[in-house]
């Protein structure tokens, strides 16, 4: 990798928390419930061979904490002197080993490793408490190793941070109540802790005030910086273990009152620390297993990097809540922090089914029970209303505020662009998720309980095609009355009409086709031949409409509306029958051969420079927009290789390298993994969870 | 008042919360647990006669919330248009009526009044729940009046804010559950609410996006600004009522686990709003009573302003906590947020006894039970240690983090300046508070329970004078072993040695004398003649030492150490026997006539330009420092007039006008009431509670 100084998440699962680190300056830190890095000073360093000269990893800024102490000494002018001096390690001498479960920095005689294993959460309705504790402990483990075997004198190392909570002070942990846990933290919610009795903990106005402070003054409560100090004698090599911990007690959401699920498992942050430190051997083994998962795969180095980076982003956005004793699963939408944005849920689907299938069911149920609605529909430019049906909201709220039932925080009426409704897309998303959940888990009890919803969804889809069954063509033809005579949009809300308009969109069309195909199978298996037949007929109509719209080499982005844009995302919906193992549907010689052939032709003709390739080889989702989304590119790459059988080199060759370079931008890699790349620059959907679509790559052999 | 645009607090009692308002720009707002104004946009305004042109009070900044919406539209460049236009009312046309319980702004046809009555909290061990709810409801009431009687069309008024919580989103309140409460808020902790069914509530990226938004889009959850909208038809005059509410649930402190006491009385912020709005008539009457308290007093306009401003600062810093079902009283130290700083407690004493005497007892008990310690003492420059005794910590922690038992967050060892120990001062402060509490309340059961503490304190005082009883002179002669051979300081930590050094300091000396005088009476009344005799002897010694140190016209700040500074604060300690009604002790012809005469001579000779007067007539606590503290000036003014009988004109004339001008500084009045004035500029101890010493002025007739 060309640039090793990019931020990435080191996140426990389900805690809406991240120890973000990697971008130089006060650009990372212990972030809880944030849509951005915490921007704290993180102090990781070691005394050099020259006493009192400390060298640090470059994750801090030389702050004028002088001003912090001056606040107390309005009338004094005596300088605060400290013998300690700080400097960053030379950038060129710093090495980083970035993997899925571990992230390791080394410089000089210092090694710092963060362990954030990626693992499943057992179904909370069935799991043992101890298994839930292991999976959900809101902490990441860090190891700091000092190799002073060649040193001439004892050297002091440290790990600390400067918190930025507006409400509560920094503090020294260590009343001895929780298994000898000691450390520094802020309020009740952040901490860096250890059980190592050789480590001292302290606060000061500045790091330099802590490093050389006498031990009895280390508890200085006015300090805004905190650090743990370790002395390593000459000739020794020592490793110290730390837990970076998060804890938010009490009810944390509004709209729906929830607490963090982990508060059922841990009483306070000291308990979190004690558990994590006590479980260190197990955590280290788990992070190694996560590393191995990718290291033993056939993915290229670029692919591994992107997948690991993306999974970290996903984990940091997850939030497992407790609502009246039951688990409520949330993925927050990166910098936007929207709750369970449905058009992200459908992209997280493949990763979640692999890791936590119960979470998929949990979210589908939430949408049914609280975030669904029924509407009417209208033709564009026509005021007449026709029966609509069931659909689902774009999201469930934002930043721990649940929106009112039946409404997202995002959707407004009267619009036809960004912030309009996504009624059709969320209907299709529910079906894509639900049919895939059933196909993957074979959860028949749930299906039996929810079968009427599938039926309602089918009727809703039909109504959105055309009120007259004879005139249906399989595509969305009418917009929701919720738009109040505006127009529905798609998840690609910030692109132009090529992807942003829902009606007659080929991206939406192929997903709709996939829904009909899945419904046909599902209803057939349930002995509902009538509904299966209806679904199958719609699948045929949809396939035919799309296939027939091939104009020469390409399918227009919006069918039948004179749109000349070309979109890569046309092929996206093919992922569902593929993931369902529906070989019939994807047989090039089979029932949908025309559709498949048209999409393949289309794809091969648009994946070209000047159409859907950027000059650097990166993929351009639409020929008419410079805004391209990595999560969707990852998905399309998978479909191109695994479904359309496009040559691996053509799909992957320069593209992955370009995409990696986008993520490693020396300025924008502050945002960790980001989705929306405008001409390769991360300008939207930053700090984002959606990149886990790349998990599909692992299934390709 | 020359400048009406100064910040002041509008604060409920005991909620560590303030609706701060008055300084132009985004400089006030709904602050919870902050050591500074919340720096939020506060939107208070009215549509002008010209439709869509809105005029606001100047408490907002035209923000580029454009950038907020742009985050969602990385690829789009269509401008977000809004028909509404904002402008501030002309400053010259704005009027303010600033009182103790109300603060009223008027401009054009708009009047906005904030009610924050100052009232007592009944002793929580004895009080009825309903009385506690009335006193502790964490809300302030606002009235917005639109006079559209001469208007030609309906005009829209609004009240809103833009929150800045890093963790949770803005939201629209109003699920109808809590007595029809609706409004806008942030997370679970801030809200502006109403029960007026004619008011609409909404969120938007900017205020302008809300003002002209269609009603069905007002729930836009991504909005970062929130407002309540009111339409007043032509020809009408209407007043709308709002509750500005605060609520922090769960455990909020560490070190000692506490929740806000009000969480026992209210379940959530909607309940707070419903209660406050329901109690509006009572609250309005109470704020009127607070206004009348000062309006009917004999205080000058300058005095009323300073006292009202200071009381508001005190209320905003109060925090009534619930520790395992028992009340724990906290006053936070303004911008520093230290918990129950003892050298502030002793200054808050007079106000607290008047309002909430149980709170004084509560804090004294906390100091005894958790924040006391026992030490040894040493002579300066000598390593030999002698018995010391009981004393108390400088504070109990900072910003909701309680420090470990027996330790403050502030005090360090090995120092002789700022951040050193204040052992002797806090011992004296405990005695001043405790003897005054007993004198004022005659709480004999408490005295009986704590009598041994008084005895220990006396012994500790003696030990700090001289280990050899024969060599005692009544003053502090030895420093605590906690300084590790440094030196103790006083509350005047940021001044030079004139007030900063504790040992042999005349300020400390007179307070020590007052402690002995009070102990003599207390022990005598308890039939402890031996201890009364010892106390009385020490009082005599102390008085003699100080009186004898009069060198010509003045007493040196530090007695017997060659210090030539002159300090006004020498007379401070006289407040205690005066407040106790101990006429004997203050009889100029009586037992301590020499001390009183010396102090009066001293005072009259230092209250002169070039010594202890600034050029503007403001008081200068020390001749050798430009750092002067208003809280202490207020106290000294009271002592000069009420105890020493100094001519009222000499004490008050130019001084009060100068002090008012300091507080109304066009830049530093951002900080509401502040204490530390360096050459008249508020550079330390800002946003501070300590000014309630001015309550003593009310007792002068």
């Amino acid at each position: 990798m060309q640039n090793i100084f990019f931020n990435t998440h080191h996140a426990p699962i389900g805690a809406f928390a991240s120890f973000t680190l990697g971008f130089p300056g006060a650009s990372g830190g212990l972030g809880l419930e944030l849509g951005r890095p915490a921007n704290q000073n993180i102090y990781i360093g070691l005394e050099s061979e020259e006493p009192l000269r400390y060298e640090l990893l470059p994750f801090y800024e030389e702050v004028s904490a002088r001003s912090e102490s001056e606040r107390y000494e309005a009338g004094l002018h005596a300088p605060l002197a400290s013998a300690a001096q700080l400097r960053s390690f030379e950038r060129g001498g710093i090495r980083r080993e970035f993997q899925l479960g571990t992230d390791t920095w080394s410089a000089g005689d210092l090694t710092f490793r963060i362990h954030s294993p990626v693992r499943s959460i057992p179904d909370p309705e069935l799991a043992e408490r101890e298994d839930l504790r292991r999976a959900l402990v809101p902490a990441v483990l860090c190891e700091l190793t000092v190799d002073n075997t060649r040193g001439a004198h004892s050297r002091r190392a440290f790990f600390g941070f400067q918190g930025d909570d507006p409400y509560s002070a920094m503090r020294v942990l260590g009343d001895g109540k929780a298994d000898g846990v000691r450390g520094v933290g802020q309020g009740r919610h952040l901490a860096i802790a250890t059980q190592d009795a050789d480590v001292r903990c302290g606060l000061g106005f500045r790091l330099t005030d802590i490093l050389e402070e006498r031990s009895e003054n280390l508890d200085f409560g006015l300090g805004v910086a905190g650090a743990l100090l370790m002395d390593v004698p000459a000739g020794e090599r020592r490793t110290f273990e730390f837990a970076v911990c998060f804890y938010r007690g009490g009810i944390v959401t509004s709209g729906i009152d929830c607490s963090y699920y982990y508060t059922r498992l841990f009483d306070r942050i000291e308990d979190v620390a004690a558990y994590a430190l006590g479980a260190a051997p197990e955590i280290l083994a788990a992070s190694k297993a996560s590393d191995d998962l990718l290291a033993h795969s056939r993915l290229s180095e670029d692919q591994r990097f992107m997948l690991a980076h993306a999974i970290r982003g996903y984990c940091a956005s997850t939030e497992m809540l407790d609502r009246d004793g039951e688990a409520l699963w949330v993925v927050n939408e990166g910098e936007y922090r929207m709750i369970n944005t449905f058009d992200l849920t459908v992209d997280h689907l493949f990763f979640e089914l692999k890791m936590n299938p119960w979470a998929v069911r949990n979210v589908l149920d939430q949408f049914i029970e609280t975030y669904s609605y029924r509407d009417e529909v209208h033709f564009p430019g026509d005021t007449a209303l026709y029966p609509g049906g069931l659909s689902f909201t774009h999201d469930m709220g934002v930043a721990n505020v649940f929106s009112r039932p039946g409404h997202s925080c995002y959707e407004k009426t009267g619009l036809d662009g960004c912030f309009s409704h996504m009624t059709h897309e969320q209907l299709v998303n529910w079906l894509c998720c639900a049919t895939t959940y059933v196909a993957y888990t074979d959860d028949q009890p749930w299906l039996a309980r929810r079968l009427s919803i599938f039926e309602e969804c089918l009727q809703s889809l039909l109504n959105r095609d055309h009120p007259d069954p004879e005139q249906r063509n399989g595509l969305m033809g009418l917009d929701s009355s919720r738009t109040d005579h505006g127009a529905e949009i798609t998840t690609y809300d910030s692109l132009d009409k090529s992807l942003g308009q829902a009606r007659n969109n080929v991206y939406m069309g192929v997903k709709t086709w996939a829904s009909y195909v899945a419904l046909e199978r599902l209803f057939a298996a349930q002995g509902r031949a009538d509904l299966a037949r209806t679904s199958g007929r719609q699948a045929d109509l949809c396939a035919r409409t799309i296939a027939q719209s091939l104009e020469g080499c390409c399918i227009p982005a919006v069918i039948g509306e004179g749109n000349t844009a070309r979109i890569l995302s046309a092929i996206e919906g093919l992922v569902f029958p593929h993931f369902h193992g529906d070989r019939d549907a994807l047989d090039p010689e089979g029932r949908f051969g025309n559709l498949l052939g048209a999409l393949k032709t289309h794809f091969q003709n648009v994946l070209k420079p000047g159409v859907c390739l950027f000059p650097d080889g990166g993929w351009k989702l639409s020929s008419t927009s410079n805004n391209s989304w990595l999560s969707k590119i990852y998905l399309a790459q998978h479909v191109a290789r695994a479904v359309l059988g496009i040559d691996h080199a053509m799909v992957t060759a320069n593209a992955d390298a370009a995409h990696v370079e986008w993520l490693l931008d020396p300025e924008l890699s502050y945002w960790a993994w980001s989705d929306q790349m405008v001409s390769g620059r991360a300008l939207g959907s930053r700090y984002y969870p959606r990149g886990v679509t790349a998990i599909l790559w692992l299934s390709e052999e």
Side-chain angles (χ1 to χ4, degrees), chain A:
Chain A
M1 288 179 290
Q2 46 275 64
N3 166 26
I4 65 168
F5 295 102
F6 58 90
N7 261 340
T8 201
H9 294 283
H10 311 85
I13 316 285
F16 197 1
S18 170
F19 177 33
T20 303
L21 203 72
F23 194 87
S27 308
L30 286 66
L32 180 57
E33 302 170 342
L34 301 181
R36 53 163 176 76
N39 297 340
Q40 297 162 344
N41 281 312
I42 297 295
Y43 304 116
I44 304 165
L46 174 63
E47 196 171 8
S48 68
E49 284 293 341
E50 190 181 352
L52 300 181
R53 299 292 179 106
Y54 293 88
E55 291 179 311
L56 290 85
L57 295 176
F59 307 128
Y60 72 104
E61 272 162 21
E62 292 274 11
V63 277
S64 61
R66 175 84 182 98
S67 64
E68 182 58 28
S69 62
E70 271 175 349
R71 293 202 304 129
Y72 297 86
E73 304 170 287
L76 298 181
H77 298 283
L80 270 183
S82 173
Q85 291 186 28
L86 310 182
R87 64 171 176 237
S88 288
F89 284 109
E90 293 286 335
R91 294 276 174 96
I94 302 175
R95 296 170 305 287
R96 181 181 196 176
E97 190 186 353
F98 176 79
Q99 300 201 59
L100 176 56
T102 62
D103 190 12
T104 308
W105 299 86
S106 10
D109 295 325
L110 176 76
T111 304
F112 186 80
R113 175 170 296 144
I114 312 171
H115 297 268
S116 44
V118 178
R119 47 179 157 192
S120 294
I121 305 168
D123 186 335
E125 287 183 23
L126 310 172
E128 298 291 331
R129 176 181 168 87
E130 196 49 37
D131 292 332
L132 286 169
R133 279 163 64 89
R134 186 181 309 116
L136 291 173
V137 59
V140 297
L141 212 66
C142 302
E143 291 177 301
L144 188 154
T145 301
V146 174
D147 183 354
N148 201 19
T149 47
R150 290 166 306 178
H153 59 86
S154 174
R155 289 155 75 192
R156 182 163 295 167
F158 52 88
F159 177 28
F161 80 114
Q162 180 161 9
D164 62 345
D165 182 61
Y167 310 113
S168 53
M170 294 288 292
R171 67 181 176 115
V172 172
L173 283 74
D175 55 9
K177 285 179 194 157
D179 297 334
V181 165
R182 294 154 56 252
V184 297
Q186 188 161 38
R188 302 177 65 83
H189 63 292
L190 303 179
I192 301 176
T194 184
Q195 286 175 319
D196 191 323
D198 292 341
V199 176
R200 296 182 302 139
C201 315
L203 304 180
F205 288 128
R206 297 169 300 190
L207 175 63
T208 48
D209 297 333
I210 306 169
L211 289 171
E212 299 297 327
E213 181 61 277
R214 44 165 89 186
S215 284
E216 62 268 35
N217 285 342
L218 282 174
D219 272 277
F220 183 57
L222 299 177
V224 294
L228 293 83
L229 310 178
M230 298 74 73
D231 291 331
V232 178
E236 293 193 12
R237 182 178 187 283
R238 273 209 61 180
T239 295
F240 303 87
E241 278 174 358
F242 307 97
V244 173
C245 306
F246 305 89
Y247 194 93
R248 181 83 77 191
I251 299 177
V252 294
T253 57
S254 57
I256 299 172
D257 289 352
C258 300
S259 51
Y260 281 98
Y261 198 91
Y262 60 67
T263 62
R264 299 174 62 166
L265 309 170
F266 303 97
D267 286 340
R268 53 175 61 221
I269 201 165
E270 287 85 351
D271 290 343
V272 169
Y275 180 89
L277 292 163
E282 192 275 330
I283 293 172
L284 268 50
S287 65
K288 175 74 162 55
S290 296
D291 288 350
D292 289 347
L293 179 74
L294 296 197
H296 297 165
S297 75
R298 294 194 186 176
L299 300 188
S300 71
E301 191 181 336
D302 282 344
Q303 287 178 319
R304 281 180 216 176
F305 163 72
M306 287 192 281
L307 178 54
H309 203 23
I311 290 174
R312 289 167 172 277
Y314 171 85
C315 292
S317 291
T318 59
E319 181 175 10
M320 184 158 158
L321 295 170
D322 173 2
R323 179 190 188 179
D324 298 329
E326 300 204 340
L328 191 153
W329 181 254
V330 165
V331 182
N332 292 283
E333 193 187 338
E335 67 162 314
Y336 307 126
R337 294 189 292 179
M338 278 182 271
I339 297 169
N340 285 336
T341 307
F342 211 161
D343 33 306
L344 271 73
T345 302
V346 71
D347 289 328
H348 302 155
L349 176 68
F350 315 103
F351 183 78
E352 289 192 336
L353 284 176
K354 182 180 171 75
M355 302 301 292
N356 310 309
W358 67 267
V360 174
R361 183 186 68 230
N362 186 285
V363 172
L364 290 171
D365 283 338
Q366 291 180 56
F367 272 110
I368 294 169
E369 287 158 19
T370 312
Y371 292 102
S372 56
Y373 61 90
R374 287 164 182 84
D375 66 352
E376 296 177 290
V377 293
H378 66 85
F379 285 104
D382 190 348
T383 57
L385 289 175
Y386 300 89
L390 181 66
S391 188
F392 306 90
T393 60
H394 167 268
D395 60 74
M396 304 182 182
V398 56
N400 279 352
V401 173
F402 282 93
S403 51
R404 40 195 180 134
H407 291 271
S408 69
C409 72
Y410 172 101
E411 288 155 308
K412 287 186 171 186
T413 70
L415 300 177
D416 60 6
C418 200
F419 307 121
S420 184
H421 278 72
M422 301 188 190
T423 309
H424 193 278
E425 173 150 38
Q426 307 315 350
L427 172 61
V428 166
N429 283 340
W430 193 92
L431 283 169
C432 288
C433 289
T435 57
T436 304
Y437 170 75
V438 171
Y440 191 87
T441 65
D442 196 33
D443 184 347
Q444 292 297 327
W446 185 80
L447 175 57
R449 200 160 69 246
R450 297 307 192 184
L451 192 60
S452 66
I453 301 292
F454 286 86
E455 294 174 22
E456 267 203 80
C457 285
L458 172 59
Q459 188 59 50
S460 186
L461 268 187
L462 296 174
N463 288 348
R464 287 163 213 283
D465 183 337
H466 199 288
D468 175 7
E470 296 307 313
Q471 298 189 55
R472 289 180 185 150
N473 68 355
L475 298 184
M476 169 189 163
L478 296 90
D479 288 285
S480 172
S481 54
R482 281 219 169 180
T483 67
D484 191 19
H485 303 287
E488 289 180 33
I489 58 172
T490 77
T491 184
Y492 294 100
D493 55 359
S494 62
L495 273 74
D496 62 15
K497 283 193 182 297
S498 67
L499 274 163
Q501 173 182 320
R503 197 184 57 250
N504 289 325
N505 193 291
V506 65
Y507 146 75
M508 184 72 82
V510 177
K511 275 176 82 171
T512 306
W513 166 81
S515 299
Y516 283 129
V517 168
L519 281 176
E520 181 183 20
R521 273 164 57 112
L522 183 141
F523 284 130
Q526 295 295 310
R528 302 298 301 272
D530 52 337
L531 298 176
R533 198 159 44 241
T534 303
S535 303
R537 189 167 55 235
Q538 286 293 115
D540 290 333
L541 284 171
C542 187
R544 190 177 69 194
T545 304
I546 296 171
Q548 286 180 345
S549 66
L550 187 70
E551 297 169 352
C553 62
C554 301
I555 304 170
V558 182
I559 292 173
E561 299 196 17
N563 187 297
T564 59
R566 307 295 181 224
I567 55 175
L568 279 180
S569 300
I571 66 171
E572 189 177 313
L574 296 175
V575 71
F576 296 103
H578 178 71
F579 196 82
H580 300 175
D582 187 351
R583 286 166 188 257
D584 291 344
L586 297 177
D587 179 358
E589 308 301 322
R591 172 179 166 200
F592 302 113
N594 283 351
L595 172 68
L596 296 163
L599 287 171
K600 185 165 182 175
T601 300
H602 167 83
F603 182 81
Q604 287 172 315
N605 281 302
V606 303
L607 192 67
K608 287 180 175 167
V611 189
C612 288
L613 279 180
F614 285 103
D616 63 2
W619 284 24
K620 196 166 180 293
L621 291 178
S622 163
S623 64
T624 53
S625 174
N626 284 324
N627 191 346
S628 200
W629 298 12
L630 276 179
S631 62
K632 296 297 199 177
I633 292 172
Y634 295 168
L635 216 173
Q637 287 182 306
H638 168 69
V639 169
R641 288 186 299 249
V643 181
L644 299 182
I646 308 285
D647 180 49
H648 193 280
M650 177 182 171
V651 173
T652 317
N654 301 318
D656 285 348
H659 302 153
V660 168
E661 196 168 318
W662 296 355
L663 288 170
L664 294 182
D665 181 281
E667 177 192 344
L668 295 165
S669 59
Y670 162 80
W671 289 103
W673 192 91
S674 295
D675 202 12
Q676 289 195 38
M677 300 286 177
V678 180
S679 300
R681 291 174 54 77
L683 298 182
S685 298
R686 298 164 296 192
Y687 217 57
Y688 222 56
R690 200 178 203 168
V692 287
T693 47
I695 197 73
L696 290 163
W697 299 345
L698 280 181
S699 67
E700 301 172 35
E701 289 301 341

